[in-house]
Amino acid sequence: DAKTTQPTSMDCAEGRAANLPCNHSTISGNEYVYWYRQIHSQGPQYIIHGLKNNETNEMASLIITEDRKSSTLILPHATLRDTAVYYCILERAGRRALTFGSGTRLQVQP
Amino acid sequence: GAGVSQSPRYKVAKRGQDVALRCDPISGHVSLFWYQQALGQGPEFLTYFQNEAQLDKSGLPSDRFFAERPEGSVSTLKIQRTQQEDSAVYLCASSSRQGAPNTEAFFGQGTRLTVV
């Protein structure tokens, strides 16, 4: 399975956009890009996923490069409640479980 | 409640004691997963159920770990003869589809197990 590389930590000012990068240079054609986040003392929460097209929902936008070797999760207006560990995960069709890495610890500053 | 419910939230066990952790998934969800999360690390997959069938238990770390979901809803993760290295948060997740990648998994808050 392909691996992902994320920065260990990032800071963002409240109200600004948070852009979280993820590198996945060995991604396979049938692997989806998933993003989950985990707020302290809670279980992980699904944010968004995509295969090759950019995706947007009420929480975030996912931008996937044309070669699919990297992606960016965008939180358009970060709030203090967005402080969490963000996981970028690759999963292929038919695989049943998520493989979490170490994630990016995002700290939103007031 | 509408979410995944786990109990107890916290469990302290003496080394060698058996423990049972319960997961109530979202009603009607076919898939159920158990994960183990050590302090400061991401969750690691333990086992997967589709209805009552345990289709993947490749992540269970030893034969002291056993999971069941006899009626295809509530699941129990049992750990026999607990060891200190079993100390972790145990997370349960459920999803509505049969493990298809384009569905989201809903996680419970987890059970924090401390073995002393």
Short mmCIF file of all heavy atoms in Angstrom, two decimals, chain B residues 70-112:
data_model
loop_
_atom_site.label_atom_id
_atom_site.label_comp_id
_atom_site.label_asym_id
_atom_site.label_seq_id
_atom_site.Cartn_x
_atom_site.Cartn_y
_atom_site.Cartn_z
N PRO B 70 -22.31 -11.33 17.79
CA PRO B 70 -23.15 -12.52 17.55
C PRO B 70 -24.46 -12.26 16.80
O PRO B 70 -24.91 -13.13 16.07
CB PRO B 70 -23.41 -13.05 18.96
CG PRO B 70 -23.12 -11.92 19.87
CD PRO B 70 -22.07 -11.09 19.21
N GLU B 71 -25.06 -11.09 16.98
CA GLU B 71 -26.33 -10.82 16.31
C GLU B 71 -26.20 -9.74 15.26
O GLU B 71 -27.22 -9.20 14.79
CB GLU B 71 -27.39 -10.47 17.35
CG GLU B 71 -27.67 -11.63 18.32
CD GLU B 71 -28.69 -11.28 19.38
OE1 GLU B 71 -29.15 -10.11 19.40
OE2 GLU B 71 -29.01 -12.16 20.19
N GLY B 72 -24.99 -9.40 14.92
CA GLY B 72 -24.78 -8.43 13.86
C GLY B 72 -25.02 -6.99 14.27
O GLY B 72 -25.11 -6.11 13.40
N SER B 73 -25.11 -6.74 15.59
CA SER B 73 -25.24 -5.34 16.01
C SER B 73 -24.16 -5.04 17.05
O SER B 73 -23.05 -4.68 16.67
CB SER B 73 -26.64 -5.05 16.54
OG SER B 73 -26.97 -5.95 17.60
N VAL B 74 -24.46 -5.23 18.33
CA VAL B 74 -23.49 -4.95 19.40
C VAL B 74 -22.27 -5.85 19.25
O VAL B 74 -22.39 -7.03 18.88
CB VAL B 74 -24.14 -5.16 20.78
CG1 VAL B 74 -23.11 -5.09 21.89
CG2 VAL B 74 -25.26 -4.14 20.99
N SER B 75 -21.10 -5.28 19.53
CA SER B 75 -19.86 -6.05 19.48
C SER B 75 -19.12 -5.93 20.81
O SER B 75 -19.23 -4.92 21.51
CB SER B 75 -18.98 -5.55 18.35
OG SER B 75 -17.74 -6.25 18.31
N THR B 76 -18.39 -6.98 21.14
CA THR B 76 -17.56 -6.99 22.35
C THR B 76 -16.14 -7.37 21.98
O THR B 76 -15.92 -8.33 21.23
CB THR B 76 -18.11 -7.98 23.38
OG1 THR B 76 -19.47 -7.68 23.68
CG2 THR B 76 -17.29 -7.92 24.66
N LEU B 77 -15.21 -6.59 22.47
CA LEU B 77 -13.79 -6.91 22.35
C LEU B 77 -13.32 -7.39 23.72
O LEU B 77 -13.46 -6.67 24.70
CB LEU B 77 -12.98 -5.68 21.91
CG LEU B 77 -11.46 -5.86 21.83
CD1 LEU B 77 -11.09 -6.83 20.71
CD2 LEU B 77 -10.78 -4.51 21.60
N LYS B 78 -12.81 -8.59 23.74
CA LYS B 78 -12.35 -9.17 25.01
C LYS B 78 -10.84 -9.33 24.99
O LYS B 78 -10.27 -9.77 23.99
CB LYS B 78 -13.03 -10.52 25.24
CG LYS B 78 -14.55 -10.43 25.37
CD LYS B 78 -15.17 -11.80 25.58
CE LYS B 78 -16.70 -11.67 25.71
NZ LYS B 78 -17.36 -12.99 25.88
N ILE B 79 -10.23 -8.96 26.07
CA ILE B 79 -8.79 -9.14 26.22
C ILE B 79 -8.56 -10.00 27.46
O ILE B 79 -8.98 -9.64 28.56
CB ILE B 79 -8.05 -7.79 26.36
CG1 ILE B 79 -8.45 -6.83 25.23
CG2 ILE B 79 -6.54 -8.01 26.36
CD1 ILE B 79 -7.89 -5.43 25.39
N GLN B 80 -7.91 -11.11 27.26
CA GLN B 80 -7.64 -12.03 28.37
C GLN B 80 -6.24 -11.78 28.92
O GLN B 80 -5.32 -11.39 28.18
CB GLN B 80 -7.75 -13.47 27.89
CG GLN B 80 -9.14 -13.84 27.41
CD GLN B 80 -9.19 -15.27 26.87
OE1 GLN B 80 -8.25 -15.74 26.25
NE2 GLN B 80 -10.30 -15.95 27.12
N ARG B 81 -6.10 -11.99 30.21
CA ARG B 81 -4.79 -11.89 30.88
C ARG B 81 -4.07 -10.61 30.44
O ARG B 81 -2.98 -10.65 29.85
CB ARG B 81 -3.95 -13.13 30.56
CG ARG B 81 -4.65 -14.43 30.91
CD ARG B 81 -3.76 -15.65 30.60
NE ARG B 81 -3.34 -15.70 29.20
CZ ARG B 81 -4.09 -16.13 28.21
NH1 ARG B 81 -5.34 -16.51 28.43
NH2 ARG B 81 -3.61 -16.16 26.98
N THR B 82 -4.68 -9.48 30.73
CA THR B 82 -4.16 -8.20 30.24
C THR B 82 -2.71 -7.98 30.68
O THR B 82 -2.28 -8.39 31.77
CB THR B 82 -5.01 -7.03 30.75
OG1 THR B 82 -5.14 -7.13 32.18
CG2 THR B 82 -6.38 -7.03 30.11
N GLN B 83 -1.97 -7.34 29.78
CA GLN B 83 -0.58 -6.96 30.01
C GLN B 83 -0.48 -5.45 29.94
O GLN B 83 -1.34 -4.77 29.37
CB GLN B 83 0.31 -7.60 28.95
CG GLN B 83 0.20 -9.12 28.87
CD GLN B 83 0.71 -9.80 30.13
OE1 GLN B 83 1.73 -9.40 30.68
NE2 GLN B 83 -0.02 -10.79 30.60
N GLN B 84 0.62 -4.92 30.44
CA GLN B 84 0.78 -3.46 30.44
C GLN B 84 0.79 -2.90 29.02
O GLN B 84 0.29 -1.79 28.80
CB GLN B 84 2.05 -3.07 31.19
CG GLN B 84 1.89 -3.12 32.71
CD GLN B 84 3.03 -2.46 33.44
OE1 GLN B 84 4.18 -2.64 33.07
NE2 GLN B 84 2.72 -1.71 34.48
N GLU B 85 1.32 -3.65 28.08
CA GLU B 85 1.37 -3.15 26.70
C GLU B 85 -0.01 -3.08 26.06
O GLU B 85 -0.14 -2.53 24.95
CB GLU B 85 2.30 -4.01 25.83
CG GLU B 85 1.87 -5.45 25.70
CD GLU B 85 2.60 -6.37 26.66
OE1 GLU B 85 3.02 -5.89 27.73
OE2 GLU B 85 2.75 -7.56 26.32
N ASP B 86 -1.02 -3.61 26.72
CA ASP B 86 -2.39 -3.51 26.21
C ASP B 86 -3.01 -2.15 26.54
O ASP B 86 -4.09 -1.83 26.04
CB ASP B 86 -3.28 -4.60 26.80
CG ASP B 86 -2.80 -6.01 26.46
OD1 ASP B 86 -2.11 -6.17 25.43
OD2 ASP B 86 -3.11 -6.93 27.24
N SER B 87 -2.36 -1.37 27.37
CA SER B 87 -2.86 -0.04 27.72
C SER B 87 -2.95 0.81 26.47
O SER B 87 -1.94 1.02 25.77
CB SER B 87 -1.96 0.62 28.75
OG SER B 87 -1.96 -0.09 29.97
N ALA B 88 -4.14 1.30 26.18
CA ALA B 88 -4.39 2.06 24.96
C ALA B 88 -5.85 2.51 24.96
O ALA B 88 -6.62 2.12 25.84
CB ALA B 88 -4.13 1.20 23.71
N VAL B 89 -6.20 3.31 23.96
CA VAL B 89 -7.61 3.61 23.71
C VAL B 89 -8.10 2.65 22.64
O VAL B 89 -7.45 2.48 21.60
CB VAL B 89 -7.80 5.06 23.25
CG1 VAL B 89 -9.26 5.31 22.86
CG2 VAL B 89 -7.37 6.03 24.34
N TYR B 90 -9.22 2.01 22.90
CA TYR B 90 -9.81 1.08 21.95
C TYR B 90 -11.02 1.75 21.32
O TYR B 90 -11.97 2.12 22.00
CB TYR B 90 -10.17 -0.24 22.63
CG TYR B 90 -8.92 -0.99 23.02
CD1 TYR B 90 -8.28 -0.72 24.22
CD2 TYR B 90 -8.34 -1.91 22.14
CE1 TYR B 90 -7.09 -1.37 24.56
CE2 TYR B 90 -7.16 -2.56 22.48
CZ TYR B 90 -6.54 -2.28 23.69
OH TYR B 90 -5.37 -2.91 24.01
N LEU B 91 -10.94 1.91 20.00
CA LEU B 91 -11.96 2.63 19.25
C LEU B 91 -12.80 1.66 18.43
O LEU B 91 -12.28 0.72 17.83
CB LEU B 91 -11.31 3.63 18.29
CG LEU B 91 -10.54 4.79 18.94
CD1 LEU B 91 -9.57 5.41 17.95
CD2 LEU B 91 -11.51 5.84 19.45
N CYS B 92 -14.08 1.93 18.39
CA CYS B 92 -15.00 1.17 17.55
C CYS B 92 -15.56 2.11 16.49
O CYS B 92 -15.79 3.30 16.77
CB CYS B 92 -16.13 0.62 18.41
SG CYS B 92 -17.42 -0.25 17.50
N ALA B 93 -15.74 1.61 15.29
CA ALA B 93 -16.32 2.41 14.21
C ALA B 93 -17.33 1.56 13.45
O ALA B 93 -17.21 0.33 13.39
CB ALA B 93 -15.23 2.90 13.26
N SER B 94 -18.33 2.21 12.88
CA SER B 94 -19.27 1.48 12.04
C SER B 94 -19.53 2.27 10.76
O SER B 94 -19.32 3.49 10.71
CB SER B 94 -20.60 1.23 12.78
OG SER B 94 -21.34 2.41 12.98
N SER B 95 -19.94 1.57 9.73
CA SER B 95 -20.31 2.24 8.49
C SER B 95 -21.45 1.47 7.84
O SER B 95 -21.67 0.29 8.12
CB SER B 95 -19.13 2.38 7.53
OG SER B 95 -18.74 1.14 7.02
N SER B 96 -22.13 2.17 6.94
CA SER B 96 -23.37 1.62 6.41
C SER B 96 -23.16 0.68 5.24
O SER B 96 -24.05 -0.07 4.87
CB SER B 96 -24.30 2.77 5.97
OG SER B 96 -23.64 3.56 5.00
N ARG B 97 -21.98 0.73 4.64
CA ARG B 97 -21.73 -0.09 3.49
C ARG B 97 -20.80 -1.24 3.85
O ARG B 97 -20.19 -1.26 4.90
CB ARG B 97 -21.12 0.75 2.36
CG ARG B 97 -22.03 1.85 1.87
CD ARG B 97 -23.11 1.35 0.94
NE ARG B 97 -22.58 0.81 -0.28
CZ ARG B 97 -22.25 1.55 -1.34
NH1 ARG B 97 -22.38 2.86 -1.31
NH2 ARG B 97 -21.79 0.96 -2.42
N GLN B 98 -20.65 -2.18 2.94
CA GLN B 98 -19.84 -3.36 3.19
C GLN B 98 -18.38 -3.09 2.91
O GLN B 98 -17.78 -3.68 2.03
CB GLN B 98 -20.36 -4.53 2.37
CG GLN B 98 -21.77 -4.91 2.76
CD GLN B 98 -22.31 -6.04 1.90
OE1 GLN B 98 -21.61 -6.62 1.10
NE2 GLN B 98 -23.58 -6.32 2.06
N GLY B 99 -17.82 -2.16 3.66
CA GLY B 99 -16.40 -1.89 3.57
C GLY B 99 -16.00 -1.16 2.29
O GLY B 99 -14.82 -1.05 1.99
N ALA B 100 -16.97 -0.66 1.55
CA ALA B 100 -16.64 0.07 0.32
C ALA B 100 -15.86 1.33 0.68
O ALA B 100 -16.12 1.96 1.68
CB ALA B 100 -17.91 0.43 -0.43
N PRO B 101 -14.91 1.72 -0.14
CA PRO B 101 -14.05 2.83 0.25
C PRO B 101 -14.72 4.18 0.20
O PRO B 101 -14.28 5.12 0.84
CB PRO B 101 -12.93 2.77 -0.79
CG PRO B 101 -13.55 2.12 -1.98
CD PRO B 101 -14.52 1.14 -1.43
N ASN B 102 -15.80 4.30 -0.53
CA ASN B 102 -16.38 5.63 -0.65
C ASN B 102 -17.51 5.84 0.33
O ASN B 102 -18.55 6.39 0.02
CB ASN B 102 -16.87 5.87 -2.09
CG ASN B 102 -17.82 4.80 -2.56
OD1 ASN B 102 -17.88 3.73 -1.96
ND2 ASN B 102 -18.56 5.08 -3.60
N THR B 103 -17.31 5.35 1.52
CA THR B 103 -18.26 5.65 2.60
C THR B 103 -17.47 6.06 3.83
O THR B 103 -16.35 5.65 4.02
CB THR B 103 -19.12 4.43 2.97
OG1 THR B 103 -18.26 3.37 3.39
CG2 THR B 103 -19.96 3.98 1.80
N GLU B 104 -18.08 6.86 4.66
CA GLU B 104 -17.41 7.31 5.85
C GLU B 104 -17.66 6.35 6.99
O GLU B 104 -18.71 5.71 7.08
CB GLU B 104 -17.88 8.71 6.23
CG GLU B 104 -19.37 8.81 6.52
CD GLU B 104 -19.80 10.23 6.78
OE1 GLU B 104 -19.52 10.72 7.88
OE2 GLU B 104 -20.42 10.84 5.90
N ALA B 105 -16.69 6.24 7.86
CA ALA B 105 -16.82 5.45 9.07
C ALA B 105 -17.08 6.39 10.24
O ALA B 105 -16.49 7.46 10.33
CB ALA B 105 -15.56 4.63 9.32
N PHE B 106 -18.01 5.99 11.11
CA PHE B 106 -18.35 6.78 12.29
C PHE B 106 -17.69 6.12 13.50
O PHE B 106 -17.91 4.93 13.75
CB PHE B 106 -19.86 6.84 12.48
CG PHE B 106 -20.57 7.57 11.37
CD1 PHE B 106 -20.94 6.90 10.21
CD2 PHE B 106 -20.88 8.91 11.48
CE1 PHE B 106 -21.60 7.56 9.18
CE2 PHE B 106 -21.55 9.58 10.46
CZ PHE B 106 -21.90 8.91 9.31
N PHE B 107 -16.92 6.89 14.23
CA PHE B 107 -16.19 6.37 15.37
C PHE B 107 -16.88 6.73 16.69
O PHE B 107 -17.47 7.81 16.82
CB PHE B 107 -14.77 6.94 15.40
CG PHE B 107 -13.83 6.31 14.43
CD1 PHE B 107 -13.84 6.66 13.10
CD2 PHE B 107 -12.92 5.35 14.86
CE1 PHE B 107 -12.96 6.07 12.19
CE2 PHE B 107 -12.04 4.77 13.97
CZ PHE B 107 -12.06 5.13 12.63
N GLY B 108 -16.74 5.82 17.65
CA GLY B 108 -17.12 6.14 19.01
C GLY B 108 -16.01 6.92 19.70
O GLY B 108 -14.95 7.17 19.12
N GLN B 109 -16.27 7.29 20.97
CA GLN B 109 -15.27 8.07 21.72
C GLN B 109 -14.14 7.20 22.25
O GLN B 109 -13.11 7.73 22.66
CB GLN B 109 -15.95 8.80 22.87
CG GLN B 109 -16.82 9.96 22.42
CD GLN B 109 -17.27 10.80 23.59
OE1 GLN B 109 -18.03 10.35 24.45
NE2 GLN B 109 -16.80 12.04 23.64
N GLY B 110 -14.34 5.89 22.23
CA GLY B 110 -13.28 5.00 22.66
C GLY B 110 -13.37 4.61 24.12
O GLY B 110 -14.06 5.26 24.92
N THR B 111 -12.71 3.53 24.44
CA THR B 111 -12.52 3.09 25.82
C THR B 111 -11.02 3.18 26.14
O THR B 111 -10.21 2.57 25.43
CB THR B 111 -12.99 1.65 26.04
OG1 THR B 111 -14.39 1.57 25.86
CG2 THR B 111 -12.62 1.16 27.44
N ARG B 112 -10.70 3.95 27.16
CA ARG B 112 -9.28 4.05 27.56
C ARG B 112 -8.99 2.97 28.59
O ARG B 112 -9.55 2.99 29.70
CB ARG B 112 -8.97 5.42 28.15
CG ARG B 112 -7.51 5.56 28.57
CD ARG B 112 -7.20 6.95 29.10
NE ARG B 112 -7.37 7.97 28.09
CZ ARG B 112 -6.47 8.27 27.15
NH1 ARG B 112 -5.32 7.62 27.13
NH2 ARG B 112 -6.70 9.23 26.28
#
